[in-house]
Amino acid sequence: MTRHDEKQVSTLNHLVSSTLSGCIARLVLHPIDTVKSRLQVQITNPELLNKLKTPLLFEGASSSLQSAEINATYRSTFHAVKMILQYEGLRGFYKGLGASLIFTGPANTLYLTSYEFCKNYLSKNYFAEGKNVALTHLISGFFAESISCIFWVPHDILKERLQIQRSNQVSLSKLIKIIQQDGLLQLYKGYFITLGSFGPFSAIYFLSYEKCKNFFIQQQQHNYNNHYSILHGRDSKSFTEIKEELMEDNNNNPVILPFSTVLFCGGISAGFSSFCTLPLDVIKTRFQVQRRMQQQQSLKMATEENIMYYKNFFDAVYKISKYEGYTAFWKGLTSRVLYAAPNSALIMALCKLITIFLN
């Protein structure tokens, strides 16, 4: 096999591994994401509730559901899980999964490959010799999000509009109806608000992930160096000679972290990033569903009084803080961390594992 063929196989393996890892993580963790979306779009402020017929920003409530569930407010993540399971069954947790899987594969592939491309490009051309490593990871993470948003934006809008419906009649026809009513180009109106939420998330995530990963790599190399010194002895060779041999050996045989370590690095980094950017995620979710909210008769009064209509990012910050309080920006914290941490952990660990297996 020629070098060109090896490169093609390596690229193909990376594409397959990134696609599979994204889809597997989505299948496992979609229920938690559904709970997070439900929590973020419901209204809990008593003063504002008096002006609304229902505390819920959703569409398509089915008569097959009891009125108590339709008008219920989730008190917490675990209460939401209990209510969905009781009134909608397991199927309720997987609303929007079909729409999600359509975009997850290509989005995750573009996300990981564009990050590596940007990181390598910056390292070779602008930040050589290990300079500004943190800045490289921050820029690369944001760049990866900006490129992959080509798929993530319609993915999020379609998925979340289906997830927030408390109806047992969610199907492919519902998805097609949303696309027909809004149009494909209309779905991309949320590009910048999505990037404003996930751009900082990805920047912080990759910076944290690389720092965490490098820490464990250095620990393994340190242990290996000590083992090497014991086997070969420090007296037989100078420190400089041993160091050169170690560097050459590390270049020929790069450190491969265990699956559990990559899992830990991905999880802890995503959890931290989720916490830092949750207010941005709440605003993004509100924007992505507000066009549907305006069409609901139950929210007609609120729309007329401009309480729930956000003109732009700053208007959303102002109205949410004024009418719902600053605590509204932290809705769904538990469910978001419970989703983002294992999701990113699985994607990174499975991607590495599948790539090694294919190679």
Side-chain angles (χ1 to χ4, degrees), residues 159-210:
K159 171 183 69 69
E160 285 170 1
R161 286 183 183 177
L162 291 171
Q163 282 178 320
I164 63 174
Q165 295 183 67
R166 301 194 182 185
S167 166
N168 289 325
Q169 299 174 349
V170 177
S171 60
L172 181 61
S173 59
K174 278 276 187 182
L175 177 62
I176 295 172
K177 184 181 177 183
I178 293 173
I179 296 174
Q180 287 176 338
Q181 288 179 345
D182 289 357
L184 283 173
L185 292 178
Q186 290 293 322
L187 296 178
Y188 283 95
K189 279 193 171 182
Y191 175 86
F192 289 106
I193 192 65
T194 301
L195 184 60
S197 169
F198 282 108
F201 170 87
S202 294
I204 297 171
Y205 168 71
F206 277 113
L207 172 62
S208 306
Y209 174 75
E210 295 285 2

Side-chain angles (χ1 to χ4, degrees), residues 7 11 29 42 150 167 184 188 222 253 263 279 317 322 341 345-346:
K7 187 175 181 181
T11 302
L29 299 164
Q42 72 175 2
I150 295 171
S167 166
L184 283 173
Y188 283 95
H222 177 71
N253 301 286
L263 204 65
V317 173
K322 179 181 179 180
L346 280 174

Side-chain angles (χ1 to χ4, degrees), residues 131-167:
K131 295 179 180 179
N132 298 311
V133 175
L135 187 60
T136 300
H137 295 152
L138 284 170
I139 295 173
S140 300
F142 195 92
F143 174 80
E145 190 63 46
S146 65
I147 298 298
S148 58
C149 268
I150 295 171
F151 294 108
W152 285 131
V153 170
H155 165 272
D156 282 357
I157 292 176
L158 294 172
K159 171 183 69 69
E160 285 170 1
R161 286 183 183 177
L162 291 171
Q163 282 178 320
I164 63 174
Q165 295 183 67
R166 301 194 182 185
S167 166

Side-chain angles (χ1 to χ4, degrees), residues 24-306:
I24 292 171
R26 170 56 59 178
L27 283 168
V28 174
L29 299 164
H30 188 81
I32 302 175
D33 188 45
T34 299
V35 173
K36 181 209 68 140
S37 296
R38 295 276 186 98
L39 287 168
Q40 288 182 339
V41 298
Q42 72 175 2
I43 304 301
T44 55
N45 182 276
E47 223 175 285
L48 188 57
L49 285 174
N50 293 330
K51 299 180 181 181
L52 305 173
K53 292 183 180 180
T54 174
L56 309 171
L57 309 181
F58 71 98
E59 68 163 333
S62 172
S63 59
S64 63
L65 295 178
Q66 299 181 25
S67 59
E69 201 279 333
I70 292 175
N71 293 292
T73 301
Y74 300 135
R75 296 190 297 270
S76 65
T77 297
F78 300 104
H79 181 250
V81 171
K82 178 184 176 183
M83 293 291 286
I84 294 173
L85 191 61
Q86 182 177 350
Y87 291 101
E88 301 174 60
L90 286 173
R91 187 179 177 186
F93 293 105
Y94 286 94
K95 289 172 182 176
L97 177 62
S100 180
L101 289 176
I102 292 172
F103 294 98
T104 293
N108 196 60
T109 300
L110 196 57
Y111 182 62
L112 296 178
T113 53
S114 57
Y115 170 75
E116 290 296 332
F117 168 79
C118 186
K119 183 178 72 171
N120 294 333
Y121 179 81
L122 291 176
S123 298
K124 291 177 181 178
N125 297 282
Y126 293 97
F127 305 133
E129 299 179 1
K131 295 179 180 179
N132 298 311
V133 175
L135 187 60
T136 300
H137 295 152
L138 284 170
I139 295 173
S140 300
F142 195 92
F143 174 80
E145 190 63 46
S146 65
I147 298 298
S148 58
C149 268
I150 295 171
F151 294 108
W152 285 131
V153 170
H155 165 272
D156 282 357
I157 292 176
L158 294 172
K159 171 183 69 69
E160 285 170 1
R161 286 183 183 177
L162 291 171
Q163 282 178 320
I164 63 174
Q165 295 183 67
R166 301 194 182 185
S167 166
N168 289 325
Q169 299 174 349
V170 177
S171 60
L172 181 61
S173 59
K174 278 276 187 182
L175 177 62
I176 295 172
K177 184 181 177 183
I178 293 173
I179 296 174
Q180 287 176 338
Q181 288 179 345
D182 289 357
L184 283 173
L185 292 178
Q186 290 293 322
L187 296 178
Y188 283 95
K189 279 193 171 182
Y191 175 86
F192 289 106
I193 192 65
T194 301
L195 184 60
S197 169
F198 282 108
F201 170 87
S202 294
I204 297 171
Y205 168 71
F206 277 113
L207 172 62
S208 306
Y209 174 75
E210 295 285 2
K211 287 285 185 183
C212 186
K213 189 178 71 171
N214 287 337
F215 170 79
F216 285 105
I217 288 176
Q218 288 174 4
Q219 288 296 112
Q220 279 197 207
Q221 287 179 334
H222 177 71
N223 294 336
Y224 175 75
N225 293 354
N226 289 339
H227 181 66
Y228 185 98
S229 298
I230 293 171
L231 287 178
H232 295 273
R234 291 187 177 272
D235 298 330
S236 58
K237 297 180 182 179
S238 67
F239 176 76
T240 304
E241 289 175 327
I242 292 176
K243 185 178 178 181
E244 289 176 353
E245 285 190 11
L246 288 172
M247 289 177 65
E248 183 181 352
D249 189 62
N250 288 336
N251 289 331
N252 294 331
N253 301 286
V255 175
I256 298 176
L257 293 174
F259 178 83
S260 58
T261 303
V262 179
L263 204 65
F264 174 80
C265 292
I268 201 73
S269 303
F272 175 69
S273 305
S274 298
F275 174 79
C276 293
T277 59
L278 180 62
L280 297 173
D281 188 57
V282 171
I283 294 172
K284 180 222 42 153
T285 305
R286 293 286 184 92
F287 264 105
Q288 287 178 337
V289 301
Q290 79 168 1
R291 292 189 66 212
R292 284 290 178 207
M293 290 156 43
Q294 293 172 43
Q295 297 174 10
Q296 296 303 303
Q297 186 65 29
S298 60
L299 292 172
K300 186 177 180 182
M301 186 182 299
T303 304
E304 289 172 352
E305 296 179 10
N306 291 323

Side-chain angles (χ1 to χ4, degrees), residues 9-25 104-105 108-110 112-113 346-359:
V9 171
S10 179
T11 302
L12 180 62
N13 289 350
H14 185 71
L15 291 175
V16 172
S17 60
S18 55
T19 300
L20 286 177
S21 61
C23 290
I24 292 171
T104 293
N108 196 60
T109 300
L110 196 57
L112 296 178
T113 53
L346 280 174
I347 287 175
M348 300 307 289
L350 286 173
C351 187
K352 296 288 184 184
L353 186 67
I354 295 171
T355 301
I356 292 171
F357 174 77
L358 292 175
N359 287 335

